[in-house]
Amino acid sequence: MNRRTEHNGTGRPRPPTIHDVAREAGVSRGTVSRVLNGGHNVSPAALDAVQSAIRRTGYTVNRHARSLITGRSDSVAFLLTEPQERFFEDPNFNVLLRGCTTALAAHDVPLLLMIAGTEAERRRNMRYIAGHVDGVLLVSSHSGDPVAAQLHDAGVPLVACGKPLGQGSKVSYVAADDQGGARDMVRYLHESGRRRIATVAGPLDTPGGVERLAGYRATLAECGLPYDDALVVPGDYSRAGGEAAASLLLERAPDVDAVFVASDLMAQGVLTALEKAGRRVPQDIAVAGFDDSPAALAARPELTTVRQPWDRISAEMVRVLLAQIGGEDPAAVILPTELVRRDSA
């Protein structure tokens, strides 16, 4: 189709409008509008025609004008409730952020990174979120942290990574099967001949920490092994925390022959402590992690671990959030994990 170039009176070409897209596609302006707002109630043929017309005309959405009409900002916040240094240390956060950014890009929705590791940061972010973003992807919520409840009470669409403790069915969430993954790993260690299986648990004010410890305890009972408080040390998901926890375990139970660690980053610290103590891995003590993050491959020896499906987690978080922004009810999604065998166990 031949198109003539229109000018805006300054001698420069006029930017294409929604009317140009509709004319190019051979559809109504309303059909184009529905495509731009999510494609609801649009036939596949019309959707293809509009998308092709957008590419041919070079049309781009005037987000400011659309937000005045729809009351939406067309943006989403990635809210991490951890200190800033944790964002740079823990590779899981970067993997999740990248996946969410990619998933939102398919919908032409920008993602804002926000960190609320202190009370002052939380207050500032909460003031900004109301009226400036359409929804929130909440990462690393802790028991007693008011952020999820405040967002819910303010009517802000919200999806948490992991089941928010104490929020019941009020908040949408997407989580890996933390308890199932822990059970698989402890069962594997037992089947490998290990009998004094300790754990460096995650923080017990986080859903992952609670669920992975529950899986550890349940599988000990299933395998006929006694639960021993001396073999359980909570960590903080940091490398230094893992090293400190392993040192304490060796003092409490020198005969430990396996350690299930609730994150790969902590497992790196456990390996450091065992090396300092002269314990060989896996000959003397098997070490197993959780996440299958880049830390698992960087460890020496490489970690046997539980793989979280990060790409699916991020894609599902975005899907559930956009559906909620569109008016759907809160939803809960739990995704399966996978045991990955490497050299440490």
Side-chain angles (χ1 to χ4, degrees), residues 68-142:
L68 292 175
I69 297 171
T70 64
R72 295 180 180 175
S73 68
D74 285 332
S75 62
V76 165
F78 183 100
L79 180 59
L80 175 65
T81 56
E82 294 285 352
Q84 292 187 23
E85 58 268 20
R86 289 294 309 281
F87 174 75
F88 296 101
E89 179 188 21
D90 193 325
N92 292 333
F93 298 141
N94 290 277
V95 171
L96 190 61
L97 175 64
R98 184 167 62 248
C100 290
T101 301
T102 301
L104 283 166
H107 299 273
D108 197 27
V109 176
L111 184 65
L112 284 68
L113 171 62
M114 308 179 79
I115 297 178
T118 67
E119 174 65 19
E121 289 174 341
R122 181 184 64 78
R123 288 197 303 268
R124 284 196 298 272
N125 285 324
M126 293 299 293
R127 285 198 302 268
Y128 181 85
I129 285 170
H132 288 87
V133 299
D134 294 330
V136 173
L137 300 166
L138 179 63
V139 180
S140 192
S141 60
H142 294 254

Side-chain angles (χ1 to χ4, degrees), residues 6-287:
E6 298 185 34
H7 295 266
N8 58 12
T10 65
R12 294 190 298 271
R14 174 181 61 78
T17 68
I18 191 172
H19 299 284
D20 299 322
V21 174
R23 185 170 60 248
E24 182 79 10
V27 300
S28 69
R29 182 182 180 282
T31 298
V32 177
S33 180
R34 286 195 295 275
V35 170
L36 295 175
N37 286 283
H40 303 293
N41 301 317
V42 178
S43 70
L47 179 63
D48 288 342
V50 172
Q51 290 175 337
S52 296
I54 288 172
R55 288 192 295 270
R56 290 196 300 271
T57 60
Y59 173 78
T60 57
V61 177
N62 184 328
R63 293 189 179 276
H64 177 68
R66 188 164 77 175
S67 69
L68 292 175
I69 297 171
T70 64
R72 295 180 180 175
S73 68
D74 285 332
S75 62
V76 165
F78 183 100
L79 180 59
L80 175 65
T81 56
E82 294 285 352
Q84 292 187 23
E85 58 268 20
R86 289 294 309 281
F87 174 75
F88 296 101
E89 179 188 21
D90 193 325
N92 292 333
F93 298 141
N94 290 277
V95 171
L96 190 61
L97 175 64
R98 184 167 62 248
C100 290
T101 301
T102 301
L104 283 166
H107 299 273
D108 197 27
V109 176
L111 184 65
L112 284 68
L113 171 62
M114 308 179 79
I115 297 178
T118 67
E119 174 65 19
E121 289 174 341
R122 181 184 64 78
R123 288 197 303 268
R124 284 196 298 272
N125 285 324
M126 293 299 293
R127 285 198 302 268
Y128 181 85
I129 285 170
H132 288 87
V133 299
D134 294 330
V136 173
L137 300 166
L138 179 63
V139 180
S140 192
S141 60
H142 294 254
S143 175
D145 187 336
V147 170
Q150 289 176 348
L151 290 170
H152 176 268
D153 292 345
V156 177
L158 162 69
V159 177
C161 182
K163 183 177 181 179
L165 298 174
Q167 294 298 317
S169 61
K170 296 189 299 183
V171 173
S172 293
Y173 68 89
V174 177
D177 185 0
D178 291 304
Q179 187 168 156
R183 293 177 72 111
D184 289 342
M185 183 58 76
V186 176
R187 191 178 300 115
Y188 168 74
L189 292 171
H190 180 261
E191 291 172 352
S192 300
R194 310 293 173 162
R195 294 298 179 266
R196 288 284 281 170
I197 304 173
T199 186
V200 176
L204 299 183
D205 64 345
T206 65
V210 170
E211 291 293 311
R212 293 169 202 177
L213 180 59
Y216 164 83
R217 295 191 65 161
T219 311
L220 288 184
E222 174 189 306
C223 296
L225 299 177
Y227 177 80
D228 185 348
D229 282 333
L231 296 180
V232 179
V233 179
D236 62 359
Y237 286 146
S238 74
R239 187 182 291 104
E243 183 175 354
S247 298
L248 181 57
L249 277 174
L250 292 175
E251 291 178 13
R252 289 180 176 180
D255 59 340
V256 63
D257 62 4
V259 185
F260 166 53
V261 191
S263 81
D264 294 338
L265 195 61
M266 287 199 299
Q268 283 191 334
V270 170
L271 291 173
T272 298
L274 294 177
E275 182 180 13
K276 290 179 179 178
R279 303 294 183 92
R280 299 171 301 166
V281 177
Q283 295 90 335
D284 301 328
I285 300 179
V287 176

